[in-house]
Amino acid sequence: MNRSYPSDWRSCFATTRTGSMVLPWSCSPVASSLCAWILTALSSGLPIAGVVHAEDPPVSNTTALEMNDATRTAIDRGLGWLASQQAPDGAYGTLSHYGPHVGITGLAGMAFLSNGDAPGRGRYGANVENALAFILAHGSESGLFAAETSHGPMYGHGFATLFVAEVYGMSDRPDVREALRRAVRLIVTTQNDEGGWRYQPVRADADISVTICQIMPLRAARNAGVYVDKAVIERAIEYVRASQNPDGGFRYMLSSGGSAFARSAAGVAALQYAGIYSGDEIERGLEYVGRFRPPNEQTVGHYFYGHYYASQAMFLAGDRYWREWWPAVRDELVAKQAPEGYWRGQAGQEYGTAMALIVLQMPNRLLPIFQK
């Protein structure tokens, strides 16, 4: 392949120690097309000068310090258990009260991606491919990803779209791009006047929990080269900022008052994925979430949902936040694993296991969505 590109194309990316590459939110649509081709070339093994390939990453001393034998064993057992639970059609969620579910399937797929697997490649490549097939089969012309049993479909749609966006960064499949484009269009067109989203794909009310579930896939899709209007993100930022309480935590809806761990972790992560990494709202939010560092969160609800976002918020904050948070949540998650290899979450074992595995594998630094 002989293509000529500007000499400064690398400036569009941040390159991690593992060779993962991230497209900034601010990159133009034209540059996005170029960057999407580069990501595709990288995933296909095509040589591009000056780029480190993730297939043979250099050893990261940071990752070595963050992981230990107990964590690696827990991850291996968890991935093995999760792989064994996948339905023949690729679905996850049959062990929950939801039944086959695009959101739980997307999270399970993210757990395998976090291990370095990709559609058709790696130990769990077939699981990734099958999860993708299930989600694509449950897409609609409107763009909504939802299985027949879905309740409050925007939660599931958000997690499923995030997974599809991460997969699209590894593939140039036209069907994946078209499904992702429609899914993003649905998110954009259902943003309400406050700037947020709610359970149903309509422009009605909004809450912080569903809103972060839409901001993350929008960011991931933009990273993969799908156009997202900056005004959509600016309105989302206004909504999230308006949801913050004086104590640094976040309220569930603009009309309801109290702060709580899970939704506050989601609030901080929402701002970060919208491109805000510093400032008073971030510092106050991190301080509030930090009060629930394990084992202090034992009495709060939505354990896995909260730690999914809290760990991302602390990881993106870096420095002392991550150094203090990571060992505590890592060791607690390892201790909570069942002998069979699963974790039991509020939405079932598959959900809890996928969430725990995503958190425990964050030091791998393999997913672009977890980078600034």
PDB file of all heavy atoms in Angstrom, residues 269-288:
ATOM      1  N   ALA A 269     -16.134  11.031  35.920  1.00  0.00           N
ATOM      2  CA  ALA A 269     -15.716  10.385  34.675  1.00  0.00           C
ATOM      3  C   ALA A 269     -16.363  11.060  33.465  1.00  0.00           C
ATOM      4  O   ALA A 269     -15.728  11.199  32.408  1.00  0.00           O
ATOM      5  CB  ALA A 269     -16.064   8.903  34.712  1.00  0.00           C
ATOM      6  N   ALA A 270     -17.609  11.486  33.603  1.00  0.00           N
ATOM      7  CA  ALA A 270     -18.295  12.153  32.490  1.00  0.00           C
ATOM      8  C   ALA A 270     -17.555  13.418  32.078  1.00  0.00           C
ATOM      9  O   ALA A 270     -17.362  13.688  30.883  1.00  0.00           O
ATOM     10  CB  ALA A 270     -19.739  12.476  32.885  1.00  0.00           C
ATOM     11  N   LEU A 271     -17.146  14.212  33.053  1.00  0.00           N
ATOM     12  CA  LEU A 271     -16.394  15.429  32.739  1.00  0.00           C
ATOM     13  C   LEU A 271     -15.064  15.099  32.070  1.00  0.00           C
ATOM     14  O   LEU A 271     -14.657  15.752  31.102  1.00  0.00           O
ATOM     15  CB  LEU A 271     -16.156  16.240  34.009  1.00  0.00           C
ATOM     16  CG  LEU A 271     -17.387  16.912  34.631  1.00  0.00           C
ATOM     17  CD1 LEU A 271     -17.035  17.543  35.975  1.00  0.00           C
ATOM     18  CD2 LEU A 271     -17.962  17.977  33.687  1.00  0.00           C
ATOM     19  N   GLN A 272     -14.387  14.070  32.588  1.00  0.00           N
ATOM     20  CA  GLN A 272     -13.094  13.698  32.007  1.00  0.00           C
ATOM     21  C   GLN A 272     -13.244  13.233  30.569  1.00  0.00           C
ATOM     22  O   GLN A 272     -12.463  13.620  29.697  1.00  0.00           O
ATOM     23  CB  GLN A 272     -12.437  12.620  32.864  1.00  0.00           C
ATOM     24  CG  GLN A 272     -11.984  13.114  34.231  1.00  0.00           C
ATOM     25  CD  GLN A 272     -11.599  11.974  35.157  1.00  0.00           C
ATOM     26  OE1 GLN A 272     -12.246  10.924  35.158  1.00  0.00           O
ATOM     27  NE2 GLN A 272     -10.571  12.168  35.957  1.00  0.00           N
ATOM     28  N   TYR A 273     -14.243  12.406  30.302  1.00  0.00           N
ATOM     29  CA  TYR A 273     -14.428  11.923  28.935  1.00  0.00           C
ATOM     30  C   TYR A 273     -14.952  13.012  28.011  1.00  0.00           C
ATOM     31  O   TYR A 273     -14.848  12.878  26.786  1.00  0.00           O
ATOM     32  CB  TYR A 273     -15.333  10.702  28.920  1.00  0.00           C
ATOM     33  CG  TYR A 273     -14.609   9.463  29.394  1.00  0.00           C
ATOM     34  CD1 TYR A 273     -14.995   8.789  30.534  1.00  0.00           C
ATOM     35  CD2 TYR A 273     -13.500   8.996  28.700  1.00  0.00           C
ATOM     36  CE1 TYR A 273     -14.309   7.670  30.980  1.00  0.00           C
ATOM     37  CE2 TYR A 273     -12.807   7.885  29.127  1.00  0.00           C
ATOM     38  CZ  TYR A 273     -13.209   7.222  30.266  1.00  0.00           C
ATOM     39  OH  TYR A 273     -12.512   6.127  30.702  1.00  0.00           O
ATOM     40  N   ALA A 274     -15.476  14.073  28.582  1.00  0.00           N
ATOM     41  CA  ALA A 274     -15.867  15.227  27.771  1.00  0.00           C
ATOM     42  C   ALA A 274     -14.689  16.172  27.553  1.00  0.00           C
ATOM     43  O   ALA A 274     -14.841  17.211  26.909  1.00  0.00           O
ATOM     44  CB  ALA A 274     -17.023  15.970  28.434  1.00  0.00           C
ATOM     45  N   GLY A 275     -13.516  15.814  28.094  1.00  0.00           N
ATOM     46  CA  GLY A 275     -12.306  16.591  27.841  1.00  0.00           C
ATOM     47  C   GLY A 275     -11.867  17.502  28.956  1.00  0.00           C
ATOM     48  O   GLY A 275     -10.939  18.297  28.774  1.00  0.00           O
ATOM     49  N   ILE A 276     -12.503  17.414  30.128  1.00  0.00           N
ATOM     50  CA  ILE A 276     -12.130  18.267  31.268  1.00  0.00           C
ATOM     51  C   ILE A 276     -11.364  17.414  32.268  1.00  0.00           C
ATOM     52  O   ILE A 276     -11.930  16.522  32.893  1.00  0.00           O
ATOM     53  CB  ILE A 276     -13.376  18.881  31.922  1.00  0.00           C
ATOM     54  CG1 ILE A 276     -14.116  19.746  30.906  1.00  0.00           C
ATOM     55  CG2 ILE A 276     -12.994  19.705  33.150  1.00  0.00           C
ATOM     56  CD1 ILE A 276     -15.436  20.277  31.402  1.00  0.00           C
ATOM     57  N   TYR A 277     -10.082  17.702  32.429  1.00  0.00           N
ATOM     58  CA  TYR A 277      -9.232  16.878  33.292  1.00  0.00           C
ATOM     59  C   TYR A 277      -8.739  17.623  34.530  1.00  0.00           C
ATOM     60  O   TYR A 277      -8.107  17.010  35.395  1.00  0.00           O
ATOM     61  CB  TYR A 277      -8.031  16.364  32.494  1.00  0.00           C
ATOM     62  CG  TYR A 277      -8.418  15.490  31.333  1.00  0.00           C
ATOM     63  CD1 TYR A 277      -8.373  15.974  30.024  1.00  0.00           C
ATOM     64  CD2 TYR A 277      -8.846  14.185  31.529  1.00  0.00           C
ATOM     65  CE1 TYR A 277      -8.734  15.176  28.954  1.00  0.00           C
ATOM     66  CE2 TYR A 277      -9.219  13.375  30.471  1.00  0.00           C
ATOM     67  CZ  TYR A 277      -9.157  13.881  29.184  1.00  0.00           C
ATOM     68  OH  TYR A 277      -9.521  13.085  28.122  1.00  0.00           O
ATOM     69  N   SER A 278      -8.991  18.884  34.613  1.00  0.00           N
ATOM     70  CA  SER A 278      -8.542  19.651  35.771  1.00  0.00           C
ATOM     71  C   SER A 278      -9.549  20.755  36.053  1.00  0.00           C
ATOM     72  O   SER A 278     -10.460  21.003  35.263  1.00  0.00           O
ATOM     73  CB  SER A 278      -7.148  20.253  35.519  1.00  0.00           C
ATOM     74  OG  SER A 278      -7.192  21.147  34.409  1.00  0.00           O
ATOM     75  N   GLY A 279      -9.383  21.387  37.196  1.00  0.00           N
ATOM     76  CA  GLY A 279     -10.299  22.445  37.592  1.00  0.00           C
ATOM     77  C   GLY A 279     -10.995  22.104  38.895  1.00  0.00           C
ATOM     78  O   GLY A 279     -10.900  20.992  39.414  1.00  0.00           O
ATOM     79  N   ASP A 280     -11.709  23.091  39.419  1.00  0.00           N
ATOM     80  CA  ASP A 280     -12.345  22.949  40.722  1.00  0.00           C
ATOM     81  C   ASP A 280     -13.343  21.800  40.756  1.00  0.00           C
ATOM     82  O   ASP A 280     -13.384  21.039  41.726  1.00  0.00           O
ATOM     83  CB  ASP A 280     -13.052  24.263  41.089  1.00  0.00           C
ATOM     84  CG  ASP A 280     -13.786  24.167  42.414  1.00  0.00           C
ATOM     85  OD1 ASP A 280     -13.120  24.046  43.455  1.00  0.00           O
ATOM     86  OD2 ASP A 280     -15.034  24.205  42.396  1.00  0.00           O
ATOM     87  N   GLU A 281     -14.156  21.653  39.702  1.00  0.00           N
ATOM     88  CA  GLU A 281     -15.168  20.599  39.710  1.00  0.00           C
ATOM     89  C   GLU A 281     -14.538  19.212  39.727  1.00  0.00           C
ATOM     90  O   GLU A 281     -15.057  18.293  40.364  1.00  0.00           O
ATOM     91  CB  GLU A 281     -16.124  20.735  38.523  1.00  0.00           C
ATOM     92  CG  GLU A 281     -15.492  20.583  37.149  1.00  0.00           C
ATOM     93  CD  GLU A 281     -15.098  21.904  36.539  1.00  0.00           C
ATOM     94  OE1 GLU A 281     -14.198  22.554  37.105  1.00  0.00           O
ATOM     95  OE2 GLU A 281     -15.659  22.284  35.483  1.00  0.00           O
ATOM     96  N   ILE A 282     -13.397  19.055  39.057  1.00  0.00           N
ATOM     97  CA  ILE A 282     -12.706  17.772  39.058  1.00  0.00           C
ATOM     98  C   ILE A 282     -12.086  17.503  40.425  1.00  0.00           C
ATOM     99  O   ILE A 282     -12.227  16.396  40.986  1.00  0.00           O
ATOM    100  CB  ILE A 282     -11.620  17.734  37.972  1.00  0.00           C
ATOM    101  CG1 ILE A 282     -12.254  17.794  36.582  1.00  0.00           C
ATOM    102  CG2 ILE A 282     -10.752  16.478  38.114  1.00  0.00           C
ATOM    103  CD1 ILE A 282     -13.056  16.574  36.195  1.00  0.00           C
ATOM    104  N   GLU A 283     -11.420  18.471  40.983  1.00  0.00           N
ATOM    105  CA  GLU A 283     -10.765  18.284  42.278  1.00  0.00           C
ATOM    106  C   GLU A 283     -11.777  17.970  43.371  1.00  0.00           C
ATOM    107  O   GLU A 283     -11.571  17.059  44.186  1.00  0.00           O
ATOM    108  CB  GLU A 283      -9.963  19.538  42.651  1.00  0.00           C
ATOM    109  CG  GLU A 283      -8.798  19.827  41.720  1.00  0.00           C
ATOM    110  CD  GLU A 283      -7.802  18.688  41.670  1.00  0.00           C
ATOM    111  OE1 GLU A 283      -7.528  18.089  42.732  1.00  0.00           O
ATOM    112  OE2 GLU A 283      -7.312  18.378  40.562  1.00  0.00           O
ATOM    113  N   ARG A 284     -12.886  18.700  43.387  1.00  0.00           N
ATOM    114  CA  ARG A 284     -13.906  18.449  44.414  1.00  0.00           C
ATOM    115  C   ARG A 284     -14.571  17.097  44.209  1.00  0.00           C
ATOM    116  O   ARG A 284     -14.884  16.391  45.169  1.00  0.00           O
ATOM    117  CB  ARG A 284     -14.949  19.569  44.399  1.00  0.00           C
ATOM    118  CG  ARG A 284     -14.417  20.896  44.911  1.00  0.00           C
ATOM    119  CD  ARG A 284     -15.517  21.913  45.135  1.00  0.00           C
ATOM    120  NE  ARG A 284     -16.227  22.259  43.926  1.00  0.00           N
ATOM    121  CZ  ARG A 284     -17.512  22.001  43.698  1.00  0.00           C
ATOM    122  NH1 ARG A 284     -18.242  21.375  44.616  1.00  0.00           N
ATOM    123  NH2 ARG A 284     -18.080  22.357  42.560  1.00  0.00           N
ATOM    124  N   GLY A 285     -14.777  16.735  42.941  1.00  0.00           N
ATOM    125  CA  GLY A 285     -15.382  15.438  42.654  1.00  0.00           C
ATOM    126  C   GLY A 285     -14.482  14.288  43.054  1.00  0.00           C
ATOM    127  O   GLY A 285     -14.936  13.298  43.647  1.00  0.00           O
ATOM    128  N   LEU A 286     -13.198  14.397  42.751  1.00  0.00           N
ATOM    129  CA  LEU A 286     -12.254  13.349  43.123  1.00  0.00           C
ATOM    130  C   LEU A 286     -12.136  13.232  44.642  1.00  0.00           C
ATOM    131  O   LEU A 286     -12.026  12.121  45.183  1.00  0.00           O
ATOM    132  CB  LEU A 286     -10.882  13.633  42.514  1.00  0.00           C
ATOM    133  CG  LEU A 286     -10.764  13.458  40.992  1.00  0.00           C
ATOM    134  CD1 LEU A 286      -9.449  14.032  40.496  1.00  0.00           C
ATOM    135  CD2 LEU A 286     -10.893  11.994  40.597  1.00  0.00           C
ATOM    136  N   GLU A 287     -12.171  14.356  45.328  1.00  0.00           N
ATOM    137  CA  GLU A 287     -12.082  14.323  46.791  1.00  0.00           C
ATOM    138  C   GLU A 287     -13.294  13.613  47.375  1.00  0.00           C
ATOM    139  O   GLU A 287     -13.165  12.816  48.301  1.00  0.00           O
ATOM    140  CB  GLU A 287     -11.972  15.750  47.342  1.00  0.00           C
ATOM    141  CG  GLU A 287     -11.589  15.836  48.808  1.00  0.00           C
ATOM    142  CD  GLU A 287     -12.760  15.602  49.759  1.00  0.00           C
ATOM    143  OE1 GLU A 287     -13.907  15.949  49.374  1.00  0.00           O
ATOM    144  OE2 GLU A 287     -12.534  15.077  50.881  1.00  0.00           O
ATOM    145  N   TYR A 288     -14.467  13.883  46.816  1.00  0.00           N
ATOM    146  CA  TYR A 288     -15.673  13.219  47.312  1.00  0.00           C
ATOM    147  C   TYR A 288     -15.612  11.722  47.054  1.00  0.00           C
ATOM    148  O   TYR A 288     -15.852  10.914  47.962  1.00  0.00           O
ATOM    149  CB  TYR A 288     -16.919  13.819  46.655  1.00  0.00           C
ATOM    150  CG  TYR A 288     -18.190  13.131  47.104  1.00  0.00           C
ATOM    151  CD1 TYR A 288     -18.858  13.564  48.245  1.00  0.00           C
ATOM    152  CD2 TYR A 288     -18.697  12.035  46.416  1.00  0.00           C
ATOM    153  CE1 TYR A 288     -20.009  12.923  48.687  1.00  0.00           C
ATOM    154  CE2 TYR A 288     -19.839  11.380  46.845  1.00  0.00           C
ATOM    155  CZ  TYR A 288     -20.490  11.832  47.980  1.00  0.00           C
ATOM    156  OH  TYR A 288     -21.614  11.173  48.422  1.00  0.00           O
TER     157      TYR A 288
END
